[in-house]
């Protein structure tokens, strides 16, 4: 860029901005709000967790019930995230690239878990699979336990995290259109080759972003899981439920210690999300690259 | 016969995109499908490619029916208006795509693919751009890469959908001349869609003029320009003046019969200072636009107040020394008459 245009840019940006006092006020307000509602609580979690020393902290974490909760949380996420990944890719591929009857209905259904309260989601599963529920007698007859057991928790988690991947991919795929897929087909590619070599690489970072958010929610979900879990220590407690139990027993140090695990997960998610976001921005597919010639 | 289109009909909901279209494209020919938007030209191209299925009718490639064959089995090269390059692949990988996805038994080995891609890069004059991504290329460069990608698999048929539509005027001119030269070199049976009559007349061996889901006329560029079969073709292939005249007589002076309309190109009207024959019409100069290849004069007829556009050679324009508001005489020649319904 040449000098004259640069001075022009600087001048125009100065004339477009607010007085110094207003800028400081707005920035200060935003930062103050962030500190009050996000930073202080997060710091407080770690301060409380370590309030009675590191050994207390460590004991709370390696205690068998806590470890069982970690294991169950990991299992629920390990099942629900891949399932939602497959479903999300399939649904968004269908919605973005094809026209079919009931498309609008499908989009609405995918959004349902976002609009329904998690508690209601949990109750739906109780009404379906609980002892007094629709399928209860049949399940009891075949000795299958869903409610107050691991399958119920996995089901509730899948339901809650249902929209994450699809919601991320649908707008991305719609924006990209289907011309590249058509080009691949004309060049002789099969459907699978087209998907693997054209569609998937174009959405890979968006997909990863959706998976990260999906995973964070799967591990942190409380409401729906709480309803179907039954809170059996060491058996059907996920991490968030375990934190609640410890807190209700006035075992604050242990509660915050376990909570700090979830907070760490959140921080890790945040970092991963930032990295993926920057990848999306620098991906050659986005039109930020310089055009020459 | 390279491509044969037989009685193709296509509806989108209640809208008729193609209505019983027949077309023959000879082997090695470059044919333009020309028409306004909504005339069905792109739909016809996509049906030939297999990207769209016709409601009825048949498509043949080299005598073989392909109507129900899958897109990927038709072995066509297709160039999209907006390039449709694979954005996450380099120029090299884009061009090589058609070769690398072939089944293992048919796939050429790596060195072979490398050689073929380099040949094509040379053909499109982008040898040093192999490692660039599409987003780092200009529109004209992208479209050339798209063409190379389509040619890599040596298609039997090359189809181009408004290939220069998204480019600016200068690049468009360069690229269409380049396409013409390229076609003279490789002689692949080609159809390209355009709404730009100048482009069709300049590039194609034959022009197919389409309107409202049907073909209006097929002919060489000279043919469709000099002898338009319908008023639509006359109108679409350049500027035109309408004169109401009497049936069978290309003479607007004899008074209209209400049913016959004479079509005259602006360059077929002469301007005189004085009436030389009693048939010359008197008119007033309204507007003079002297920039451009041919100066364009707009006149208003004295008898019925109709506007007439005239293009005259530059020398003639200088000799006449016209001024706005002046009274002159005009004499239309080469009038084509059509009966109105």
């Amino acid at each position: 860029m040449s000098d004259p245009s640069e001075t022009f840019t600087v001048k125009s940006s100065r004339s477009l901005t607010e007085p110094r006092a207003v800028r400081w006020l707005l920035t200060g307000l935003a930062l103050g709000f962030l500190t009050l509602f996000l930073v202080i609580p997060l710091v407080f979690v770690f301060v409380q967790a370590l309030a009675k020393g590191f050994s207390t902290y460590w004991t709370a974490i390696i205690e068998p019930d806590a470890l069982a909760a970690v294991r169950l949380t990991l299992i629920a996420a390990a099942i629900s995230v891949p399932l939602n990944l497959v479903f999300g890719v399939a649904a968004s591929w269908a919605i973005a690239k094809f026209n079919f009857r009931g498309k609008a209905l499908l989009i609405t259904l995918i959004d349902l878990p976002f609009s329904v309260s998690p508690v209601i989601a949990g109750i739906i599963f109780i009404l379906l699979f609980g002892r007094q529920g629709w399928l209860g007698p049949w399940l009891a007859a075949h000795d299958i336990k869903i409610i107050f057991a691991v399958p119920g928790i996995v089901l509730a988690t899948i339901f809650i995290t249902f929209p994450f991947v699809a919601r991320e991919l649908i707008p991305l795929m719609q924006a990209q259109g289907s011309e590249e897929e058509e080009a691949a087909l004309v060049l002789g590619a099969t459907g699978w080759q087209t998907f693997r070599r054209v569609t998937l690489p174009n959405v890979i970072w968006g997909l990863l972003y959706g998976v990260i958010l999906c995973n964070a929610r799967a591990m942190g979900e409380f409401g729906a899981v709480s309803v179907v879990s039954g809170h059996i220590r060491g058996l059907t407690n996920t991490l968030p439920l375990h934190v609640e139990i410890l807190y209700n027993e006035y075992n604050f140090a242990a509660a915050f210690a376990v909570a700090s695990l979830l907070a760490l997960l959140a921080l890790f998610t945040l970092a991963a999300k930032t990295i993926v976001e920057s990848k999306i921005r620098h991906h050659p597919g986005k039109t930020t690259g310089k055009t020459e010639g | 016969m390279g491509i044969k289109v037989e009685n193709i009909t296509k509806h989108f909901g209640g809208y008729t995109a193609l209505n019983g279209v027949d077309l023959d494209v000879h082997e090695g020919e470059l044919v333009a499908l020309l028409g306004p938007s909504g005339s069905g030209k792109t739909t016809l191209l996509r049906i030939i490619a297999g990207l769209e299925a016709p409601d009825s009718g048949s498509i043949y490639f080299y005598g073989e029916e392909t109507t129900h064959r899958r897109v990927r089995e038709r072995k066509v090269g297709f160039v999209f208006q907006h390039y449709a390059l694979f954005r996450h692949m380099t120029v090299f990988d884009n061009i090589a795509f058609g070769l690398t996805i072939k089944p293992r038994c048919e796939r050429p080995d790596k060195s072979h693919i490398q050689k073929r891609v380099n040949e094509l890069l040379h053909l499109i004059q982008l040898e040093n751009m192999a490692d660039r991504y599409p987003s780092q290329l200009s529109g004209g460069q992208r479209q050339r890469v798209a063409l190379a990608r389509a040619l890599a698999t040596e298609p039997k048929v090359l189809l181009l959908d408004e290939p220069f539509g998204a480019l600016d005027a200068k690049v468009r001119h360069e690229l269409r001349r380049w396409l013409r030269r390229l076609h003279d070199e490789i002689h692949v049976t080609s159809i390209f869609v355009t709404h730009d009559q100048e482009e069709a007349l300049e590039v194609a061996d034959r022009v197919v003029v389409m309107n409202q889901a049907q073909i209006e006329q097929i002919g060489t560029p000279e043919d469709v320009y000099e002898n338009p079969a319908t008023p639509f073709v006359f109108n679409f292939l350049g500027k035109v003046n309408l004169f109401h005249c009497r049936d069978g007589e290309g003479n607007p002076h004899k008074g209209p019969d209400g049913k016959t309309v004479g079509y005259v190109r602006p360059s077929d009207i002469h301007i005189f200072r004085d009436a030389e024959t009693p048939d010359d019409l008197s008119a007033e100069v309204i507007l003079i636009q002297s920039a451009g290849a041919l100066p364009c004069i707009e006149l208003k007829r004295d008898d019925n107040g109709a506007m007439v556009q005239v293009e005259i050679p530059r020398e003639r324009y200088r000799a006449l020394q016209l001024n706005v508001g002046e009274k002159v005489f005009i004499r239309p020649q080469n009038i084509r008459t059509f009966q109105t319904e």
Side-chain angles (χ1 to χ4, degrees), chain A residues 176 179-180 182-190 193 197-198 201-202 283-286 289-293, chain B residues 46 51 71-72 76 78 80 82 84-89 97-98 100-101 132-133 135-138 141-142 149:
Chain A
Q176 290 177 348
E179 265 203 342
E180 285 181 48
E182 285 185 346
L185 287 176
V186 173
L187 286 166
T190 60
Q193 281 175 321
R197 306 221 9 199
V198 176
N202 275 347
H283 190 54
K286 295 274 163 178
K290 257 188 197 161
T291 311
E292 291 171 26
Chain B
R46 289 173 63 86
L51 290 169
V71 195
R72 65 165 188 272
V76 298
F78 200 100
F80 294 82
H82 299 289
L85 293 175
F86 306 127
R87 64 192 88 190
H88 62 283
M89 293 184 204
F97 185 85
T100 55
I101 53 157
R132 298 269 184 106
Y133 283 94
S135 60
Q136 298 167 312
L137 302 178
S138 71
Q141 291 170 334
R142 283 183 216 183
R149 181 180 68 178

Side-chain angles (χ1 to χ4, degrees), chain A residues 212-227:
Chain A
I212 287 169
L213 290 182
C214 181
N215 182 58
R217 185 63 193 265
M219 292 190 174
E221 174 55 24
F222 180 83
V225 169
S226 169
V227 175

Side-chain angles (χ1 to χ4, degrees), chain B residues 118-125 127 151 178 182 185-186:
Chain B
N118 285 335
E119 272 170 27
L120 286 161
L121 281 169
H122 177 73
L123 188 72
I124 60 169
Q125 298 147 10
E127 287 105 324
L151 292 173
W178 177 79
L182 185 78
E185 264 174 58
I186 57 176

